[in-house]
Amino acid sequence: MSAEGRMRDAADVRRRLDDHDYLADIGLSTALYLSLELGLPLLLEGEPGVGKTAAAKVLAQALDVPLIRLQCYEGLTAAEALYDWNHQRQLMAIRLSEARHEKLAEADLFSEEYLQERPILRCVRYAGPHPPVLLIDEIDRADDQFEALLLEFLGESSVTVPELGTFHAASPPVVVLTSNRSRDLHDALRRRCLYHWIDYPSPERVVEILRRTVPSAHVSLIASAARFVGHLRTLEVEKAPGISEAINWVAALSVLGATELVREDVLATLGALAKTPDDRDLVAAAVSDHAFG
């Protein structure tokens, strides 16, 4: 990282994220700074919607480097995350050699010409002036076996392709992993990462986030909406609304022309807050009991 792009300290990280309208507390700012300085992956955990994915996206913007994203899901394989071979081109090469009565060696088929980079290998082989940010999003949704595939990369910033050898990153990419804790991650993966838990922000910070992200919304609407979302989070909802839900809800209310939080508007926009039928009933009941105004 050049002197111009390098973060000077945790406070500088915080300021530069703030310039991109991401309000990080000192804990997250310090975790990001240490990850950058030590060259270690950072594992971010927290409830859905608290800004884990957004932190990685904004960090890439603040560093002015590309963001390469790997979205995890059950059944994710090395061919989708690390590298694959262009099987169609390989088949064409075989047919062409047969038509020419030429002998094609196996090594000819597994060469750079047919290698397809997936997100992780793309990061390792990235040739730009500064390393990219790799976001491994929702690692807890992937299978246990996939974590084992990551260990070489997380520990050594390298990927081994058996047919071609081991590729090492010229500069270790900035790696951010996120998890919603839908399952426990293996200790081997955790040991290779710095760790930070992102809490749901304080009511005051929620108000400031909403002012930044929904500037068209009325000030009084933002304040009352932040209080109501905070109230919902104290109830036994199945999926407590996070910051992303609060942003979408306030944006929806603003589109409807609301300047104050009133019962009718809340009921009309429940889909932005409640994501299951049971939660919808619970939120509707909370609306009936809540004193607006």
Side-chain angles (χ1 to χ4, degrees), residues 24-191:
D25 60 21
I26 189 61
L28 176 57
S29 301
T30 301
L32 290 169
Y33 174 68
L34 291 176
S35 176
L36 293 170
E37 286 296 298
L38 299 176
L40 292 174
L42 175 62
L43 172 60
L44 296 178
E45 288 193 327
E47 295 180 21
V50 293
K52 303 183 295 296
T53 298
K57 291 180 177 180
V58 175
L59 178 63
Q61 294 174 7
L63 293 171
D64 193 24
V65 298
L67 174 76
I68 298 176
R69 180 174 181 173
L70 174 62
Q71 179 63 53
C72 297
Y73 54 88
E74 186 176 356
L76 182 65
T77 65
E80 296 160 312
L82 278 69
Y83 68 91
D84 198 3
W85 297 100
N86 191 325
H87 303 296
Q88 188 175 22
R89 289 194 62 194
Q90 288 174 323
L91 182 58
M92 290 176 60
I94 292 172
R95 290 176 176 173
L96 184 59
S97 66
E98 290 174 346
R100 294 174 175 173
H101 304 288
E102 297 174 348
K103 186 176 180 181
L104 192 63
E106 182 177 349
D108 296 328
L109 291 174
F110 293 95
S111 62
E112 284 273 1
E113 181 181 359
Y114 302 103
L115 182 66
Q116 291 183 320
E117 296 178 348
R118 299 308 188 203
I120 292 178
L121 183 58
R122 192 181 312 145
C123 281
V124 169
R125 287 160 53 98
Y126 182 74
H130 307 304
V133 171
L134 173 64
L135 168 60
I136 304 177
D137 212 10
E138 297 183 308
I139 181 63
D140 54 316
R141 295 182 61 187
D143 300 328
D144 291 354
Q145 294 85 347
F146 179 71
E147 289 185 42
L149 294 175
L150 289 178
L151 297 183
E152 178 188 20
F153 168 69
L154 294 177
E156 304 172 14
S157 296
S158 64
V159 172
T160 297
V161 180
E163 297 85 354
L164 297 177
T166 300
F167 296 96
H168 297 275
S171 297
V174 180
V175 182
V176 178
L177 303 92
T178 73
S179 168
N180 295 324
R181 289 190 60 82
S182 63
R183 68 171 178 86
D184 290 333
L185 303 178
H186 285 275
D187 290 342
L189 185 142
R190 289 184 177 275
R191 283 197 301 268

Side-chain angles (χ1 to χ4, degrees), residues 182-245:
S182 63
R183 68 171 178 86
D184 290 333
L185 303 178
H186 285 275
D187 290 342
L189 185 142
R190 289 184 177 275
R191 283 197 301 268
R192 285 166 171 77
C193 302
L194 296 176
Y195 178 81
H196 183 72
W197 174 270
I198 300 183
D199 281 314
Y200 187 80
S202 66
E204 296 77 16
R205 187 169 290 272
V206 172
V207 169
E208 182 59 28
I209 292 171
L210 292 174
R211 285 176 178 170
R212 294 286 192 94
T213 53
V214 196
S216 60
H218 197 276
V219 174
S220 60
L221 173 65
I222 287 176
S224 54
R227 287 194 298 271
F228 186 69
V229 171
H231 172 63
L232 292 182
R233 292 180 56 81
T234 66
L235 304 180
E236 295 182 357
V237 291
E238 181 180 350
K239 298 186 181 299
I243 286 296
S244 59
E245 285 81 14

